[in-house]
Amino acid sequence: MLLEGSIIEKHNEQRLRRHNLKLASLQDEFPETEQIIRQIEAFQVAIPSWALGTGGTRFGRFSGGGEPRSLEEKMEDVGLLHQLNRASGAISLHIPWDVPQDPAAIRKLAKEYGLTFDAVNSNTFQDQPHQALSYKFGSLQHVDKAVRKQAIDHNIAVIKHGVELGSKAITVWLSDGSCFPGQLNFRGAFERTLESLQEIYQALPADWKVFIEYKAFEPNFYSMTVGDWGQSLLYASKLGPKAYTLVDLGHHLPNANIEQIVALLLMEGKLAGFHFNDSKYGDDDLTVGSINPYQLFLIFNELVEGMNARNMNHAKDLGWMIDASHNVKDPLEDLMQSVEAILIAYAQALLIDTAALKQAQAANDVVRCQELLQAAYRTDLRPLVAEARFRKGGALEPLELFRSEALRNTLIKKRGEKTVATGL
Amino acid sequence: MLLEGSIIEKHNEQRLRRHNLKLASLQDEFPETEQIIRQIEAFQVAIPSWALGTGGTRFGRFSGGGEPRSLEEKMEDVGLLHQLNRASGAISLHIPWDVPQDPAAIRKLAKEYGLTFDAVNSNTFQDQPHQALSYKFGSLQHVDKAVRKQAIDHNIAVIKHGVELGSKAITVWLSDGSCFPGQLNFRGAFERTLESLQEIYQALPADWKVFIEYKAFEPNFYSMTVGDWGQSLLYASKLGPKAYTLVDLGHHLPNANIEQIVALLLMEGKLAGFHFNDSKYGDDDLTVGSINPYQLFLIFNELVEGMNARNMNHAKDLGWMIDASHNVKDPLEDLMQSVEAILIAYAQALLIDTAALKQAQAANDVVRCQELLQAAYRTDLRPLVAEARFRKGGALEPLELFRSEALRNTLIKKRGEKTVATGL
Amino acid sequence: MLLEGSIIEKHNEQRLRRHNLKLASLQDEFPETEQIIRQIEAFQVAIPSWALGTGGTRFGRFSGGGEPRSLEEKMEDVGLLHQLNRASGAISLHIPWDVPQDPAAIRKLAKEYGLTFDAVNSNTFQDQPHQALSYKFGSLQHVDKAVRKQAIDHNIAVIKHGVELGSKAITVWLSDGSCFPGQLNFRGAFERTLESLQEIYQALPADWKVFIEYKAFEPNFYSMTVGDWGQSLLYASKLGPKAYTLVDLGHHLPNANIEQIVALLLMEGKLAGFHFNDSKYGDDDLTVGSINPYQLFLIFNELVEGMNARNMNHAKDLGWMIDASHNVKDPLEDLMQSVEAILIAYAQALLIDTAALKQAQAANDVVRCQELLQAAYRTDLRPLVAEARFRKGGALEPLELFRSEALRNTLIKKRGEKTVATGL
Amino acid sequence: MLLEGSIIEKHNEQRLRRHNLKLASLQDEFPETEQIIRQIEAFQVAIPSWALGTGGTRFGRFSGGGEPRSLEEKMEDVGLLHQLNRASGAISLHIPWDVPQDPAAIRKLAKEYGLTFDAVNSNTFQDQPHQALSYKFGSLQHVDKAVRKQAIDHNIAVIKHGVELGSKAITVWLSDGSCFPGQLNFRGAFERTLESLQEIYQALPADWKVFIEYKAFEPNFYSMTVGDWGQSLLYASKLGPKAYTLVDLGHHLPNANIEQIVALLLMEGKLAGFHFNDSKYGDDDLTVGSINPYQLFLIFNELVEGMNARNMNHAKDLGWMIDASHNVKDPLEDLMQSVEAILIAYAQALLIDTAALKQAQAANDVVRCQELLQAAYRTDLRPLVAEARFRKGGALEPLELFRSEALRNTLIKKRGEKTVATGL
């Protein structure tokens, strides 16, 4: 472990009195705080293996220092994160960026860090060196059967890696699509993609799921072959009960009502889970909650309501993952901010007076509906999130501790100033 | 008839030489012109009864003169339009704006004008005087069963009106949705709406269809209960084989790829047809082809390709209708421009060298795919559209004739300067 | 007065203990609370005379009951609002919807309610009955000099009304623009509009300002002649020192960074003030803070920073007004929610640790910059807003009091169920 | 020269009869064809040095073969293009991707190919190896004076390179901005950027211009410090008469009316020129005219109208450049399609009956305005563009000749299959 437990303890001791005061004030006001704290404690957000390095754009990439140079170091980063916030106890691997060469050793390491393996991710949007056929014109949609087969085989190989580590799902995000009108026969592309997905679906172990992620645009700029939730749901429905739709918050057209999409996918029993991030223009991959935290809250409102309606387990029945880029922030700090924003939004959603809301909705009392949502949203629930962390041995203020202990410097000393992690 | 046939003949005579020259040049270049002309001849675009008057916005409405004051006068307008362009031989009624009090007389009148009755349209987005319950908070989605029943009954009444006139479909556009987060339980709204639609579906005659129109926003500004093609398709699939998804070009989020939606709905056998218009920002309801005529062409490319793939009859198997507002144009002139733009786009789509396109797509020859589309699009096919019109007895240049004969003045003299047609 | 002062007192008494507890907790944590409370006390948001009635869309309008039938009753509504929240002490008149027939009596009434008169608003986007010339094709931009003159004269008449009441500014919002490519010569439209504005500018009293409001689209759907902040600033710069740019939050293209616009206009000394509302798609005119409260906070962050940099008086040097529609809410309740959202955002902006923020910006410490903003935003400052209201004699919970006293019923009894206020 | 002149001649001979037939038909119909052909002949579109290689996205780059490995080979490519289409007689260099090591030799080479040097482009959006300070947090806006100085010096060095080659302008595109709220003080960023630009302005030779290019978003995803035309115009106005605003078609928010911006910048005498491309979602950098050719035509309509109003020389007084990426097309073929689309749009704009349009605008005859624009747009003017090319010695069908002569193969044989040109 990079950080001795005693340091966390000391950090907490210094803040405990003030923390308890704030906590008590909330406990005083809201009888449900204890229940909320327990639910936050159970909630874990997976960290993608590609999010530990500095991200970039097509215009350039400005690396930071101390980036992880291997899967082992990426796990070390997630382990550190989890030690600090106790809410990042899972890692999501991206193949081929992070092939586990020695699965047993990797599993052992994960156990040491208290990590599990979330959904594995395939990559058919880039050509790898020595790859036989190119994905320039798509992968699962490709007009050439041989390219499709190569992409299918890759996905099956990714599933095998996942099986070795204990993952239970594969996320398929396709950049397949077209850049120009006429380039693609839309129906043909859909049918070929469906056929390819069916072959992958056949290769799923009995207890596995496949998550179909959609995206409105980029890197294809005219059409995407899995372009919106409607298309993803069509694929998932045709594939069968193990196929689900994955929502990435940044993958929509301007002004889309994402929370409504979430509610409908839950209604259909087809929501896979989330790739969390925030954005203003497109797939900006900014820190969760940095642009529109109220929208995040509204999404959690639908999640809580919809999962409860289906008696689902908040912590286990959907996949929660961050998917962000960190062009101008330290990746670990960015992830700490993202996890915090997620937990705050979740806590606020849990605080909503749902009985009163149902009543107000039944009476078309729109003013009161808004009052009820905003009453929860405007309440400062940071103490509950901190308390959940504290109870599990994490730091009351993870970011502050990360900085006061100069942990990035520790990483730089260990790994060097000029490292570049695999990823975008 | 407002216009004597001999006037059209005279108009055509004066233009025939020049027209034939241009036509011959196209016939010379393209062997398929004759086939295209015949397909244009068969193509009819329905005119909605509410589009004969000047439209408005919430900021105001600036009426023109001579607007039709009754259903009979609206039919007179469509009759005139059809006499001029021979491509507007159907009318689509909106209830309660245009209730046919004496169906037999209306049918007779339609026959005189050479018109048929397209899909009928219900209206549960406005309260009518003396209406028992309000649609302020929705109609088919309403939390109050009594309001839903009122809306269902209205739809069934509309179907009955349609049956009396020979319509074969009802278009249901709902403004149902919410203006504020929390106002609506999305799942509940969907389920109630589905239930209501099922009751309407039960009331459909054996040879009828129901068209479910979706819209992204307005007049509800937070969520729409039939908000996108994915939602509409969900309803249509759950309803059964007589339910279809209707596409209005202005009902999408910014940058949506409408042509891909069209292709996928055709693939699923669930495309109902179109409400044609054009727009830059939202549901602007501008003249068809006035903002982005290339998009219109691309949509027709998908329509032709997809209908041919299913052996569908272009002219009969889908519903074609204009749905535009005419805030600053003479409604009849606007409609003439819209129909012309539709026919040109259709003709251009028919001109595409589909065999070569398939080949280029199979070879990922993106440059050639674009060349093939644009070769058709850049060709000036106005002579083919004019020829189709001419052969059916219409005017070579309908708009010019409408003006040279001062037909609007005729209407004003007949109906008055200050008339206001029912509609938006 | 509609409400006896003793009722407010009683309402407050019942809530005071709990309120004081929360207030004390904030005072304990933040030394600046007293200063913030005083600044909130000084802050007043003007209510537009057209916002007291139910709004509508082009698809319909669903009136509520008890709407004000006259200017006097509108002032009664604002008076009530101000009595409850002590932050709505100004009214903004819209001519010709609310012509003050007897200015002296109106001024007297205003004094009784503790109201002042904010910027007056002209209307050249609608035709009034008996108006000589139509604004169908624009007003200040019109190709016909006579129409321009009529619009100029109207604006000058509005100024005169304002002078009689003590207003110090006129807001000019133009719907001028075009619906179709080619309709307008953009340069000509700009030049004619500028010329017209110059004539209005000449008519401004010495201590008056003119606010040029821009809007991206609607009701014109191709171009707007004052379409964005760049155009408005061009007009304002060419007009002179008394001309300023007015920002309406809903008048932008999707994804616009409004807070940056605010900062730049302040930098140029050309920001007039605000029309507050919220929106998801366009000019949705929803309750302030109901869709994206964080954006509202970011705007106030720029306002506070920029006004402080110019030593401006927050309360007096800019115009603050709500401009929303209330399609599904009681207008007075909607306005209470809007004012509350504004004051909370203002308070949060005042809480930002600006010294630390400057330091973090100077060090490119992006993570810390975000932490500093969100630390302020996540703090629950409702007690400060309530305290400011309380100190000025308002109600701790205005909305609750409005409901518990059934004040809408009082208004309905007085004015009737079927009243419709002038406005959109 | 890669291509012998006799091959072009032979190519033309085979097509001449058919070409002349079509041309004659246009000449017959429109008396102005000769004038239009001459104007097309004079029109040249500059090719950026970075557009000769395959482009990419942050998700990957799929190289083609035979890409130029040096500035000399890039010039060879542009030379070939120009030989084929006779409309690409200028090249725009990007420093440091294409530093002319031996300016005299480069000038000589340019002369051989018949090329001139258009605006030079600086790059402060990427870090170069061995660069002292990083642009991670901006360049001309940077909080650190030393970074600003480095960026200023780079721009001045770029000007010097340009002087050696005969360029007369520098284009400054800045990626400066911020990714998160709070990161930047907008006013400070503007003021520092202005100051930096002033230093660059001071270094401009007497007959030089500086073009300030704006962009709404990407690679910064919260704010851009030169984010829209309004900001660019502010900089340009404060800088002085040698500073102008450059419009890149892909650098706007969704739905922006670019043609209006063009008209206003021309009105202000501040339009620098264009970076042509097309896009559906953002800065997609697609082939010009591939998504919305009507918009391109509308822009040229404003250009022709506005330049004529100022007695400007269409060919010389503004900068015309393509700025596109070629992710899935052969770069040279893509450029040929782009130039063709530009010339067609230009020709169509020249065909507009401007006298009639003015008259219709003056009469608010919106229908006729649209008829006049679309009459020009719907006319097939490809023969005029081909004729202009033919008269200057180019190929009637450049793309066809490029393919029939297998010129890409020639380049691959010469340069190799795996070359990667510098650029994005």
Side-chain angles (χ1 to χ4, degrees), chain D residues 86-141:
Chain D
R86 290 288 131 202
S88 310
I91 184 165
S92 181
L93 295 197
H94 186 282
I95 309 295
W97 293 338
D98 297 292
V99 177
Q101 302 295 357
D102 180 348
I106 292 295
R107 276 202 313 272
K108 187 161 168 290
L109 195 61
K111 208 173 168 185
E112 284 170 35
Y113 291 130
L115 305 178
T116 60
F117 289 93
D118 207 77
V120 283
N121 303 271
S122 60
N123 175 344
T124 61
F125 53 87
Q126 290 180 317
D127 286 350
Q128 306 300 328
H130 317 302
Q131 182 178 308
L133 300 163
S134 172
Y135 295 132
K136 183 170 191 166
F137 300 104
S139 58
L140 298 188
Q141 75 166 15

Side-chain angles (χ1 to χ4, degrees), chain A residues 44-48 78 82 87-92 114-118 320:
Chain A
Q44 298 292 316
V45 183
I47 305 299
V78 181
H82 190 47
S88 309
I91 184 165
S92 180
L115 305 179
T116 59
F117 289 93
D118 208 77
W320 311 111

Side-chain angles (χ1 to χ4, degrees), chain C residues 262-337:
Chain C
V262 168
L264 297 179
L265 286 172
L266 268 173
M267 176 185 80
E268 292 295 296
K270 280 295 195 187
L271 181 65
F274 274 85
H275 279 185
F276 288 112
N277 50 54
D278 210 340
S279 56
K280 189 168 175 64
Y281 305 100
D283 189 28
D284 309 339
D285 276 342
L286 303 179
T287 315
V288 183
S290 65
I291 299 295
N292 192 343
Y294 193 54
Q295 186 191 44
L296 184 68
F297 162 76
L298 295 175
I299 289 168
F300 267 101
N301 174 35
E302 296 305 326
L303 284 168
V304 167
E305 199 278 340
M307 292 182 86
N308 287 350
R310 299 177 72 87
N311 288 314
M312 291 168 77
N313 181 322
H314 296 189
K316 296 194 176 152
D317 289 351
L318 291 182
W320 311 110
M321 193 178 97
I322 288 169
D323 187 3
S325 208
H326 320 288
N327 302 345
V328 294
K329 286 181 177 174
D330 179 299
L332 286 170
E333 294 189 353
D334 195 335
L335 289 164
M336 274 182 265
Q337 292 187 312

Side-chain angles (χ1 to χ4, degrees), chain B residues 327-341:
Chain B
N327 302 343
V328 295
K329 287 180 175 174
D330 180 299
L332 286 170
E333 294 188 355
D334 195 334
L335 290 164
M336 274 183 263
Q337 291 186 312
S338 282
V339 173
E340 183 79 1

Side-chain angles (χ1 to χ4, degrees), chain B residues 22 329 365 370 377 403, chain D residues 29 329 365 370 377 403:
Chain B
K22 290 188 181 184
K329 287 180 175 174
D365 187 347
Q370 180 177 319
Y377 178 71
R403 289 194 161 201
Chain D
E29 191 169 357
K329 285 179 177 176
D365 186 347
Q370 180 176 317
Y377 179 71
R403 289 196 159 198

Side-chain angles (χ1 to χ4, degrees), chain B residues 62-115:
Chain B
F62 302 93
S63 292
E67 295 192 4
R69 295 159 297 178
S70 63
L71 175 53
E72 287 76 6
E73 288 188 356
K74 290 180 179 184
M75 291 172 68
E76 185 179 39
D77 274 13
V78 181
L80 173 59
L81 204 60
H82 189 47
Q83 198 189 359
L84 289 166
N85 71 17
R86 290 288 131 202
S88 308
I91 183 164
S92 181
L93 296 198
H94 187 283
I95 310 295
W97 295 337
D98 297 293
V99 176
Q101 303 295 356
D102 179 349
I106 293 294
R107 275 202 314 270
K108 187 162 166 289
L109 195 62
K111 209 172 169 188
E112 282 170 37
Y113 290 131
L115 305 179

Side-chain angles (χ1 to χ4, degrees), chain C residues 374-391:
Chain C
Q374 297 205 331
Y377 179 70
R378 285 169 174 166
T379 306
D380 186 351
L381 296 184
R382 287 174 294 176
L384 302 193
V385 174
E387 176 67 12
R389 200 155 47 220
F390 174 69
R391 291 188 187 178

